[in-house]
């Protein structure tokens, strides 16, 4: 059983190792799971999963291997009206009545019985001790009571007696394939962190104070600068046009970056980088910054991130005067080459799905100019991008 579990995790793309599997076996030999399914779930998750992005995959595999999750999916797909599972009544039993209800004898027995109920039940049921329904003493359903059962269609825990809770999949939003949120972007950007103590001495140096006091024989209070993320980031955002479809993802990235990096600067451009950039879109033709000034202001140790869908006419990249907004004296490709030469750590994040890149010639051109350092704006793409920036 456990070897199957290990192999299923590997097949699902969860990076578990033999060493972690053997650690789980040692924990089971030590009876750390207390012979309870839920305890085994938490023990195996803590032992085998080292990256929170894999928690949802783990939940799905756990439910599949131990015959739980697919059963609940059958409930969702069965021809049972959804309103059957709504709360229609709350049944209160006396202490003596609860003591008379016997458990069914383990998870395997519960699941096998649930399969039979799904095959046999044809209509809504309320109350009683057998069918899937509400307000009864059956081990299957919602808003009733049974000392050991499977909770189906109930908003929250009530009696803390259900033997299977991993179907909740609380970590679904951490999966590699889901849409990014500000929190997930922060987690990905933290790979870039490099801490250093800079600024005025404003923080108590406890270790130094103890050492100095012991050495001098009197209280010697020492202070030190606060510890800050020393990584410096320069962001270039494509704004307007087709990027209007990706405002939410771009805003989330901008918000996360501002909270993660003390040294961060940003500028806007449209479609491709040219001789000027700006910080206020409404004044993009009046208050601009020459791109040369940006290159000469921020040193080469800045990490540069372009954010844009790179979807435009190829002329906007390769030709003089190809810009759709003004006559550019030099092609956009030349400006991108200047940036990549000035900043060794430079990547491009594209909010379009990676499988769509091949349909737009300009995306291939930009990717080539970036030496292949273009990544999708997904959790996995950010992970690969931050690895590139920290090389």
């Amino acid at each position: 059983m456990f070897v199957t579990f290990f192999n299923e995790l590997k097949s699902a793309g969860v990076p578990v190792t033999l060493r972690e599997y053997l650690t789980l076996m040692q924990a089971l030999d030590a009876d750390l799971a207390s012979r309870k399914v839920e305890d085994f779930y938490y023990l195996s998750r803590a032992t085998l999963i080292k990256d929170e992005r894999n928690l949802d995959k783990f939940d799905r595999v756990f439910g599949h291997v131990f015959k739980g999750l697919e059963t609940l999916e059958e409930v969702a797909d069965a021809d049972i009206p959804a309103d059957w599972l709504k709360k229609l009544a709350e049944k209160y039993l006396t202490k003596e009545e609860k003591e008379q209800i016997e458990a069914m004898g383990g998870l395997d027995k519960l699941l096998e019985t649930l399969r039979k109920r799904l095959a046999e039940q044809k209509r809504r049921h309320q109350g009683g001790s057998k069918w899937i329904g509400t307000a009864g003493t059956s081990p299957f359903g919602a808003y009733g009571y049974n000392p050991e059962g499977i909770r189906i269609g109930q908003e929250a825990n009530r009696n803390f007696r259900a033997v299977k809770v991993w179907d909740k999949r609380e970590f679904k939003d951490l999966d590699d394939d889901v849409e990014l949120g500000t929190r997930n972007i922060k987690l990905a950007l933290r790979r870039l962190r490099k801490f250093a103590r800079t600024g005025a001495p404003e923080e108590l140096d406890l270790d130094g104070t103890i050492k100095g006091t012991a050495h001098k024989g009197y209280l010697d209070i020492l202070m030190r600068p606060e510890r800050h993320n020393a990584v410096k980031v320069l962001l270039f955002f494509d704004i307007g046009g087709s990027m209007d479809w990706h405002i939410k993802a771009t805003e989330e990235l901008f918000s996360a970056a501002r909270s993660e990096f003390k040294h961060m600067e940003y500028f806007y451009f449209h479609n491709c980088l040219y001789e000027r950039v700006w910080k206020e879109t409404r004044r993009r033709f009046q208050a601009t910054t020459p791109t040369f000034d940006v290159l000469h202001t921020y040193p080469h140790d800045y990490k540069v991130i372009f954010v844009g869908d790179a979807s435009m006419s190829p002329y906007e990249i390769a030709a003089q005067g190809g810009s759709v907004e003004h006559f550019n004296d030099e092609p956009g490709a030349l400006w991108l080459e200047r940036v990549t030469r000035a900043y060794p750590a430079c990547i491009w994040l594209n909010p379009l799905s990676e499988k769509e890149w091949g349909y737009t010639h300009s995306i291939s051109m930009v990717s080539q100019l970036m030496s292949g350092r273009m990544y999708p704006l997904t959790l996995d793409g950010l992970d690969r991008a931050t690895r590139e920036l920290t090389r």
Side-chain angles (χ1 to χ4, degrees), residues 65-300:
V65 173
F66 296 103
K67 310 263 187 324
L69 189 58
E70 75 261 39
T71 304
L72 292 181
E73 288 174 347
E74 288 174 14
V75 174
D77 295 333
D79 293 325
I80 302 175
D83 63 311
W84 286 20
L85 300 177
K86 293 180 180 179
K87 180 182 179 183
L88 297 179
E90 182 84 19
K91 182 165 184 175
Y92 295 94
L93 304 180
T94 66
K95 182 178 180 181
E96 291 74 23
E97 287 176 318
K98 291 180 180 179
E99 290 176 351
Q100 291 175 3
I101 303 171
E102 296 182 356
M104 294 196 67
L107 179 65
D108 290 340
K109 181 65 175 177
L110 277 171
L111 295 172
E112 180 61 30
T113 305
L114 176 58
R115 289 192 187 92
K116 292 179 180 178
R117 297 286 189 275
L118 285 167
E120 297 171 3
Q121 186 167 342
K122 304 301 181 182
R123 61 186 179 84
R124 175 198 174 280
H125 194 83
Q126 177 182 341
S129 60
K130 178 180 179 180
W131 300 110
I132 303 168
T134 57
T137 58
S138 167
F140 316 109
Y143 302 101
Y145 177 85
N146 193 287
E148 186 178 73
I150 294 179
R151 190 169 68 238
I152 302 174
Q154 183 174 304
E155 294 177 359
N157 200 346
R158 294 169 57 251
N159 297 310
F160 298 92
R161 301 303 297 267
V163 299
K164 198 177 78 59
V165 297
W166 58 85
D167 59 291
K168 291 165 64 177
R169 291 178 63 191
E170 295 174 337
F171 307 100
K172 184 177 181 180
D173 63 333
L174 298 177
D175 201 346
D176 286 355
D177 302 322
V178 303
E179 186 176 328
L180 280 176
T182 303
R183 175 182 179 274
N184 291 341
I185 296 174
K186 287 182 180 180
L187 291 174
L189 292 178
R190 283 174 188 171
R191 285 186 177 275
L192 294 177
R193 291 183 298 181
K194 183 179 180 181
F195 289 102
R197 297 193 179 276
T198 58
E202 299 175 343
E203 179 183 276
L204 175 65
D205 184 354
L206 183 59
D207 293 337
T209 298
I210 294 173
K211 185 176 180 180
T213 299
H215 178 71
K216 296 179 180 179
Y218 58 86
L219 182 61
D220 183 23
I221 298 178
L222 298 179
M223 306 297 287
R224 62 185 178 183
E226 282 190 76
R227 190 167 174 257
H228 294 289
N229 188 359
V231 171
K232 293 176 284 188
V233 176
L234 184 58
L235 285 162
F236 292 96
F237 290 100
D238 181 6
I239 191 168
S242 57
M243 280 299 293
D244 287 345
W245 296 98
H246 310 290
I247 288 176
K248 182 176 182 292
T250 304
E251 286 179 342
E252 288 173 345
L253 175 64
F254 182 66
S255 175
R258 292 199 72 164
S259 65
E260 285 297 314
F261 303 110
K262 180 181 178 182
H263 306 286
M264 190 202 83
E265 292 292 340
Y266 69 94
F267 295 94
Y268 297 130
F269 68 96
H270 181 57
N271 284 355
C272 193
L273 187 69
Y274 297 112
E275 68 276 5
R276 59 176 181 260
V277 290
W278 57 92
K279 285 200 170 187
E280 292 183 69
T281 302
R282 63 186 179 86
R283 301 184 62 197
R284 60 191 297 178
F285 297 108
Q286 293 81 33
T288 61
T289 302
T291 307
F292 265 129
D293 288 357
V294 176
L295 299 181
H296 293 138
T297 300
Y298 304 101
H300 70 277

